Amino acid sequence: MAAPGPQPTGTIAGINCANKDALSGADKLLCLIQDPFSATFHANAFWASLGTSIGVMILITLTFSLLRPRHTIVYAPKLKYADEKHAPPRIGKGLFEWVAPVIKVKEPALVEKAGMDAAIFLRFTRMLRNIFLALGVVGVAALVPANALGTNFEWLKNQQGYLAATTPQYLGKKSVLWVHVISVWAIDLIVAFFLWRNYMAVARLRRQYFESAEYLMSLHSRTLMITDIPVADRTDEGILRIADGVEHTAGIPTASIGRNVKELPDMIEEHDEAVRDLESILAKYLKNPDHLPAKRPTIKPSGKHWRHHSSDRVDAIDYLTERIRELEIQITHVRESIDKRNAMPFGFASYERIEEAHMVALAAKGKHPQGTTIELAPKPNDLIWKNLPLTKSSRQWRRFWNNFWVVILTIVWIAPNALIAIFLSNLSNLALVWPAFRRSFDGHSETWSAVQGIAAPALTSLIYLILPIIFRRLSQRGGDTTKSSRESHVVTKLYSFFVFNNLIVFSVFAVIYGFVAAVIKNKDQGAWKAIVKSKFFVSLLRGLCQVSYFWVVWMLQRQLGAAADLAQMLNLVWTWFCRTFLSPTPRQEIEWTAPPQFDYAVYYNYFLFYATVALCFATLQPLVLPITAFYFAIDYWLKKYLLLYVLITKHESGGQGWRILFNRLVFGVILANIVMALIIRGADDQAKNPWLKVFFVIPPPILMLGIKWYCARAFDPQMTYYTKAILKDPEHLADQGKKKRKNDRVASRFGHPALYKPLMTPMVHAKARQVMSQVYRGRLQDGLEGGVVGSPPASGYSDIAMDPMSQTHPGKSARVAEPPTKRDMFEVVPESKLDFAYFQNRAEFADQLGGNGELYGVPEDLISERSSTPRSFGGGYDESNPSSRASSPAPSAMGRRVYRDDMQALSPPLGRDHPAYYREDGSREAEGDLGQMSGTGRGFGKGRMYQHLRSDSESDLLRGAQPVGVAGTPSEERETYGLDRWRTGGSGYAGVSGHEMNDGRGNTGYDPYRGR
């Protein structure tokens, strides 16, 4: 039986929308909601958008090629800052000489130069490119001809032009729908093949990552994180007992229970904010030091401090410097008062061998021994410390409220999203339903046209910039313990939000609205008859085919975003504007020269959303497939350049986010299968059995679920755990296994940063150094030397009867030495040193801008070559500032602060002041004048070439010492030092002969403790 033609042109739910002026306001709104793109997207719009996007993309790329050789700090900062191992290939000054190095770098080199996360991102992008190239062949070779041959061109007249012939909207020959059924199978098989192949490749990359020297030489690779520890087991000994109860290992781990840092993190955060506020005020006030403003800046004290001041507004410089001083003293006192008696419900256990830690983690998976959760520890800088003490119930409650607010936000956004799509993107629609606005619109059409072209894209872009921030904060408040897991949750939430609001609601809302309106108009015939008469599936087919033109044009415009990312135009314009019209602080200028961070969560969400849109509209508008393939083909090379030369990974996860991407893409394919089934049902509505062809597309979703199950079972264990039996320990790499590892210092390496992190020091421009004594009128010292304020104590040895020595007055105690001058309380930075190269290893910059230090050759938890122990927490930060005052030191850097009255001493000898000369140095030791540095630190002699060979015996002499003893009988002392009494049932090292202890470590096997 021949199928009847489509609904008459311009008729929606019985309403003739051809002449909207004759309709009521409600009918106009219905017409606009049902078909908001009827006058906007057609064949001419498609070709115009194609030409515009390609033309502008080529123009932006040419602009980048011209600017790149002249602005290397913007377009290739990693060439300047990365160490030799991680530096990308050199690029010439030619116009297109950047293309060849990008093409030549293969995946193994990419892992080494940019990191595993960057390699996984590019592999995912390349996989999407290959998928849509293959699907593009299916679409162009099968679907487009089938739709064109089956189209009834009599029905097509006066419609969307001949571009509509590529859709199944006007099919007269229903037999061509079998091509759609076969295409559904082809699409799923192609996607499944590429997912399986790339899952296997990612598993191989993860195995290579486990075998890499950086992983084998790291502390986190052999460390477990244990959370939800019961009160009775909140000791180092309790951690060992829990770990041993899960799986016996040949070696005894080194344990460290978490300590209660009290209000330290909040105090340090407040201190850092005060420092930045003071820097901003000083930068504005001292912009022209020769002509200071007549009136000093004022500020309103915060609510909890205003009572201490007689007026509402006080001198800003005096108030903030005094507040910084108070916070430094408070932080010092709190650090001195923290001990292990107030333990927290989390801790860490570090094993001698990587295999042992991974065996215990695998054995504890899903078991929760004694109510705890045992998992492999992340890198120290990946931890969200304030969420570690949360209880299970608190974490679950937070997750519930987190998900609740995400659902509320998603639902609330439906109405604004629809209004933006209907009215803001086309203000003439708003004029149809709002007579008062129509008069203004008709009288100032050119002005409102400009507003229309800016308002909708600007508002949408602003919302998309804010959404990741909202979801990131919600995930952190939801109890995520690591930043990597937080970013994974951001991806899932953003993807769900985009798919629901920007795809489903945006595409189907008009159809559902029209369907409900039609049912209401025909309610007199009975509810069921009204539903049948409205022909929901036919309306869905028509609505989705019409909205498909929008998605085709939208995908074409994505090329502009890819090219804009490459050109870094936003960064260039913003930096120029701030330096020209504002008063940036030295810290801000330093941060602008640092390599930007790549936001994986945002770009993963974009790519997953693009892929889902293309899959859902593959049979509706097959042209979207080659367009999407073209986008991913271009963006792959552009993002490859950015990740090699410009962008860094802030928190390297080692490629652990692959499963999130895999699962979202499987969901996208299943959603596309559902859409395709509904389209086939709507197009075959007049058949005797319209559900027959739908039954043939039911198995493909089951196939995708099967692929997911198989890949998880086959590859997940080897991607997560290092379970090989062959010993691959760092000491074997360094010395053929002849050395024994010493104390892992887990307490310092996995200690809360608030205990060790140096405090920030206010920075001022060197041009203002002469007037600092006039500007600052308060005091920052009460008998405390600058090198002591804000510094943590030498933990466990506060009873040593010696005061710290003065740095500025040799031979005198810091407590009685003359306090530093006012100018020493600030860090004076010369104009020539406003470069991230001089500060890349400083704690305050490394935390936000330096990732985990691997790019610069100083991984955070690297085990030292000399003793196979991790670098100390404080010593890991290189206070590499060439300024007048270093930041407050960490425990291992006590007394390193440098004071100088003559700024000329800041300049190194001729020929050695280039930032690259500071690239791979270790810690800096001040000795007399700045021009004469110690050979083991940042000196200008041979010590600069061998800075990483600095012996631990030259500093931190007490760090490896025995714990502080407790007076008592010999047996009591043995019990104090014995960490394994819980395995023997006795105390101390009972049952172990004395000669077994002579090597400093003793027998690490279990047999002596098990009575064998």
Side-chain angles (χ1 to χ4, degrees):
M1 183 176 71
Q7 196 171 13
T9 302
T11 301
I12 298 175
I15 302 173
N16 186 5
C17 297
N19 186 11
K20 294 186 178 65
D21 293 335
L23 300 176
S24 64
D27 290 341
K28 288 178 183 178
L29 181 62
L30 175 60
C31 291
L32 293 175
I33 291 176
Q34 178 72 8
D35 192 10
F37 310 112
S38 58
T40 306
F41 298 102
H42 45 73
N44 293 335
F46 169 79
W47 294 113
S49 180
L50 177 63
T52 302
S53 61
I54 294 178
V56 175
M57 182 190 66
I58 293 175
L59 180 62
I60 294 177
T61 305
L62 287 174
T63 303
F64 157 77
S65 300
L66 290 171
L67 294 177
R68 180 194 60 80
R70 299 170 178 82
H71 299 276
T72 55
I73 193 65
V74 175
Y75 296 116
K78 292 170 72 172
L79 276 175
K80 179 179 181 180
Y81 301 130
D83 65 349
E84 183 178 355
K85 179 180 179 181
H86 299 91
R90 292 285 174 181
I91 308 179
K93 299 293 185 179
L95 192 63
F96 296 106
E97 289 193 28
W98 60 276
V99 176
V102 173
I103 295 175
K104 292 178 181 178
V105 173
K106 303 303 180 184
E107 193 169 64
L110 190 66
V111 172
E112 182 180 80
K113 305 295 183 184
M116 268 289 291
D117 284 345
I120 295 298
F121 176 84
L122 291 175
R123 172 165 281 278
F124 180 70
T125 307
R126 189 168 66 249
M127 179 188 73
L128 293 177
R129 179 200 65 186
N130 295 338
I131 286 175
F132 285 102
L133 282 174
L135 295 183
V137 174
V138 174
V140 173
L143 288 171
V144 171
N147 291 337
L149 292 174
T151 295
N152 187 330
F153 286 90
E154 291 294 326
W155 299 344
L156 189 60
K157 291 180 179 179
N158 301 321
Q159 299 297 320
Q160 298 286 347
Y162 289 98
L163 191 63
T166 60
T167 71
Q169 181 177 358
Y170 301 102
L171 288 180
K173 300 177 181 177
K174 304 301 181 180
S175 59
V176 299
L177 288 175
W178 286 109
V179 178
H180 286 249
V181 174
I182 297 173
S183 298
V184 173
W185 279 87
I187 290 172
D188 282 44
L189 289 173
I190 290 172
V191 174
F193 169 75
F194 280 104
L195 285 175
W196 164 78
R197 183 179 179 182
N198 283 274
Y199 212 123
M200 185 167 54
V202 171
R204 184 176 64 252
L205 284 175
R206 284 284 294 174
R207 296 308 307 173
Q208 294 172 358
Y209 173 73
F210 286 149
E211 299 291 347
S212 66
E214 289 183 352
Y215 185 79
L216 295 174
M217 295 292 290
S218 64
L219 180 60
H220 80 277
S221 65
R222 65 195 70 238
T223 303
L224 299 177
M225 181 174 70
I226 306 175
T227 54
D228 305 317
I229 301 175
V231 177
D233 292 319
R234 291 178 186 177
T235 61
D236 293 352
E237 178 183 318
I239 292 177
L240 298 179
R241 187 184 301 113
I242 293 172
D244 187 62
V246 174
E247 183 76 20
H248 291 299
T249 57
I252 301 174
T254 303
S256 174
I257 191 70
R259 291 190 280 175
N260 186 0
V261 295
K262 304 178 182 177
E263 64 276 11
L264 254 183
D266 295 334
M267 294 170 61
I268 293 177
E269 183 178 358
E270 183 180 355
H271 174 274
D272 293 348
E273 291 178 358
V275 168
R276 289 184 178 272
D277 290 342
L278 178 59
E279 290 175 343
S280 179
I281 290 173
L282 288 174
K284 296 175 183 177
Y285 185 65
L286 303 175
K287 186 174 184 179
N288 188 354
D290 297 331
H291 298 87
L292 295 179
K295 187 177 180 181
R296 287 170 62 91
T298 59
I299 191 174
K300 186 176 182 179
S302 59
K304 55 185 177 181
H305 302 298
W306 70 270
R307 293 186 181 89
H308 301 290
H309 302 275
S310 57
S311 60
D312 291 340
R313 301 191 68 84
V314 298
D315 186 281
I317 299 175
D318 291 346
Y319 168 75
L320 289 173
T321 49
E322 181 68 18
R323 184 61 190 150
I324 292 170
R325 165 192 171 274
E326 293 173 355
L327 287 169
E328 285 187 344
I329 295 175
Q330 292 174 14
I331 290 169
T332 301
H333 291 331
V334 173
R335 280 175 169 173
E336 291 174 347
S337 66
I338 290 175
D339 54 33
K340 291 190 177 183
R341 288 175 291 183
N342 189 4
M344 302 301 288
F346 66 90
F348 303 90
S350 179
Y351 287 79
E352 182 175 350
R353 297 172 56 183
I354 296 177
E355 295 90 335
E356 294 173 341
H358 286 241
M359 285 171 56
V360 175
L362 181 59
K365 183 180 179 181
K367 294 183 179 179
H368 302 285
Q370 301 184 35
T372 64
T373 300
I374 301 178
E375 56 189 343
L376 293 171
K379 295 182 178 181
N381 75 324
D382 196 29
L383 289 167
I384 301 176
W385 290 94
K386 67 179 181 180
N387 288 342
L388 290 178
L390 296 177
T391 61
K392 284 185 178 179
S393 59
S394 176
R395 192 174 287 112
Q396 290 172 355
W397 188 244
R398 288 191 176 200
R399 286 173 181 167
F400 167 78
W401 281 109
N402 181 28
N403 294 328
F404 172 78
W405 288 116
V406 170
V407 171
I408 293 297
L409 180 62
T410 304
I411 295 175
V412 167
W413 180 242
I414 292 177
N417 189 31
L419 293 176
I420 290 174
I422 297 169
F423 297 116
L424 195 57
S425 61
N426 191 352
L427 291 177
S428 61
N429 292 340
L430 183 60
L432 287 173
V433 297
W434 188 3
F437 174 74
R438 182 169 187 173
R439 289 191 294 270
S440 176
F441 182 79
D442 293 339
H444 307 85
S445 58
E446 295 181 358
T447 302
W448 286 113
S449 297
V451 172
Q452 174 180 306
I454 297 174
L459 181 59
T460 305
S461 300
L462 179 62
I463 292 170
Y464 290 166
L465 288 174
I466 295 175
L467 273 178
I469 299 174
I470 295 175
F471 287 145
R472 199 167 274 120
R473 293 186 177 181
L474 285 174
S475 297
Q476 186 156 321
R477 290 175 61 88
D480 287 342
T481 56
T482 65
K483 296 165 187 174
S484 298
S485 63
R486 179 194 65 190
E487 294 303 297
S488 297
H489 290 153
V490 171
V491 173
T492 59
K493 291 177 174 60
L494 279 175
Y495 178 73
S496 301
F497 183 92
F498 270 60
V499 169
F500 181 77
N501 268 301
N502 296 352
L503 178 58
I504 297 177
V505 172
F506 185 81
S507 301
V508 181
F509 178 76
V511 176
I512 296 177
Y513 191 96
F515 172 75
V516 173
V519 171
I520 293 175
K521 284 184 175 296
N522 298 320
K523 62 182 179 180
D524 296 338
Q525 303 176 11
W528 179 249
K529 288 185 178 179
I531 292 174
V532 172
K533 188 176 181 179
S534 64
K535 295 184 179 297
F536 172 74
F537 294 107
V538 176
S539 299
L540 180 65
L541 169 64
R542 178 180 179 276
L544 290 179
C545 286
Q546 288 182 344
V547 82
S548 67
Y549 302 116
F550 165 80
W551 290 114
V552 169
V553 175
W554 185 81
M555 283 301 303
L556 283 171
Q557 294 172 349
R558 296 312 94 197
Q559 312 293 340
L560 303 180
D565 288 341
L566 177 68
Q568 296 286 295
M569 295 301 296
L570 183 61
N571 290 342
L572 277 175
V573 173
W574 175 249
T575 303
W576 169 83
F577 176 82
C578 291
R579 286 176 172 165
T580 305
F581 300 103
L582 303 181
S583 301
T585 67
R587 190 180 308 276
Q588 289 174 331
E589 295 196 54
I590 293 168
E591 290 173 348
W592 289 337
T593 63
Q597 299 155 12
F598 186 66
D599 197 337
Y600 286 95
V602 171
Y603 283 98
Y604 274 139
N605 168 65
Y606 287 161
F607 285 8
L608 286 168
F609 181 66
Y610 300 162
T612 303
V613 169
L615 289 170
C616 289
F617 287 89
T619 56
L620 283 163
Q621 181 50 268
L623 293 178
V624 76
L625 296 174
I627 292 172
T628 306
F630 178 68
Y631 167 78
F632 285 121
I634 296 296
D635 208 25
Y636 169 74
W637 297 111
L638 302 186
K639 290 296 189 294
K640 188 175 182 180
Y641 175 87
L642 289 173
L643 288 170
L644 271 174
Y645 291 94
V646 182
L647 305 173
I648 65 169
T649 302
K650 184 176 181 180
H651 304 293
E652 178 68 51
S653 69
Q656 295 183 13
W658 170 257
R659 284 187 290 270
I660 297 293
L661 308 176
F662 180 88
N663 293 336
R664 304 283 94 65
L665 199 55
V666 168
F667 169 81
V669 174
I670 294 175
L671 178 63
N673 292 158
I674 295 173
V675 173
M676 295 171 187
L678 294 175
I679 294 307
I680 292 173
R681 171 62 180 81
D684 206 23
D685 185 69
Q686 300 300 320
K688 291 183 179 180
N689 187 0
W691 294 98
L692 176 63
K693 297 180 179 66
V694 176
F695 292 145
F696 284 92
V697 297
I698 292 178
I702 301 175
L703 168 67
M704 297 306 302
L705 293 176
I707 287 294
K708 170 181 166 49
W709 177 85
Y710 168 77
C711 290
R713 292 289 298 270
F715 303 118
D716 279 2
Q718 58 180 301
M719 290 174 59
T720 308
Y721 300 104
Y722 182 98
T723 55
K724 291 186 176 180
I726 302 174
L727 186 62
K728 296 285 186 182
D729 224 17
E731 59 266 29
H732 286 256
L733 294 176
D735 199 15
Q736 303 298 324
K738 296 180 181 179
K739 293 183 179 180
K740 288 184 176 293
R741 293 175 63 231
K742 298 184 180 180
N743 180 21
D744 267 335
R745 304 179 194 165
V746 181
S748 63
R749 181 46 56 205
F750 280 95
H752 200 294
L755 296 172
Y756 307 96
K757 181 181 177 181
L759 300 179
M760 291 170 54
T761 300
M763 289 182 170
V764 295
H765 289 284
K767 64 182 180 181
R769 57 186 290 270
Q770 299 297 341
V771 298
M772 285 305 299
S773 58
Q774 306 173 30
V775 171
Y776 176 63
R777 303 180 303 193
R779 57 185 177 86
L780 282 177
Q781 60 282 79
D782 277 333
L784 290 174
E785 187 184 25
V788 177
V789 174
S791 304
S795 178
Y797 291 92
S798 58
D799 58 341
I800 295 180
M802 290 191 299
D803 291 337
M805 301 302 294
S806 170
Q807 286 290 316
T808 56
H809 298 78
K812 293 185 179 182
S813 169
R815 299 182 183 274
V816 299
E818 180 183 349
T821 64
K822 297 174 182 178
R823 189 177 58 198
D824 292 329
M825 297 297 97
F826 298 89
E827 189 172 350
V828 181
V829 185
E831 189 74 22
S832 60
K833 300 301 187 291
L834 294 175
D835 193 321
F836 181 66
Y838 299 103
F839 299 86
Q840 61 190 28
N841 295 332
R842 285 268 293 273
E844 59 206 82
F845 291 97
D847 288 349
Q848 297 298 324
L849 305 171
N852 58 8
E854 290 182 356
L855 175 66
Y856 314 118
V858 284
E860 188 185 36
D861 62 345
L862 179 68
I863 297 176
S864 66
E865 299 86 347
R866 174 179 177 270
S867 59
S868 296
T869 56
R871 300 181 188 274
S872 64
F873 193 94
Y877 292 120
D878 180 12
E879 303 185 21
S880 55
N881 62 318
S883 56
S884 60
R885 177 193 180 216
S887 55
S888 301
S892 62
M894 291 287 289
R896 288 185 188 167
R897 188 166 301 174
V898 181
Y899 305 94
R900 287 295 173 268
D901 294 330
D902 186 5
M903 293 301 296
Q904 296 298 327
L906 298 175
S907 301
L910 184 62
R912 299 188 179 187
D913 59 347
H914 191 274
Y917 198 68
Y918 293 83
R919 182 170 292 164
E920 299 180 357
D921 52 309
S923 298
R924 150 176 158 179
E925 305 288 341
E927 199 174 278
D929 188 70
L930 283 178
Q932 298 174 352
M933 307 295 284
S934 169
T936 61
R938 191 181 274 281
F940 301 120
K942 65 179 182 179
R944 299 181 57 80
M945 298 179 61
Y946 303 99
Q947 65 274 15
H948 289 303
L949 301 180
R950 185 168 70 91
S951 172
D952 288 346
S953 63
E954 296 174 7
S955 62
D956 307 331
L957 299 179
L958 296 179
R959 184 170 292 279
Q962 281 278 23
V964 180
V966 179
T969 63
S971 62
E972 290 173 342
E973 293 178 3
R974 286 197 302 271
E975 186 167 354
T976 300
Y977 291 114
L979 295 177
D980 305 297
R981 54 187 180 276
W982 48 272
R983 279 184 173 170
T984 64
S987 63
Y989 291 102
V992 184
S993 58
H995 71 274
E996 295 178 11
M997 304 294 297
N998 293 336
D999 62 353
R1001 182 176 179 85
N1003 192 342
T1004 58
Y1006 277 1
D1007 293 348
Y1009 306 100
R1010 292 173 177 161
R1012 297 179 183 173

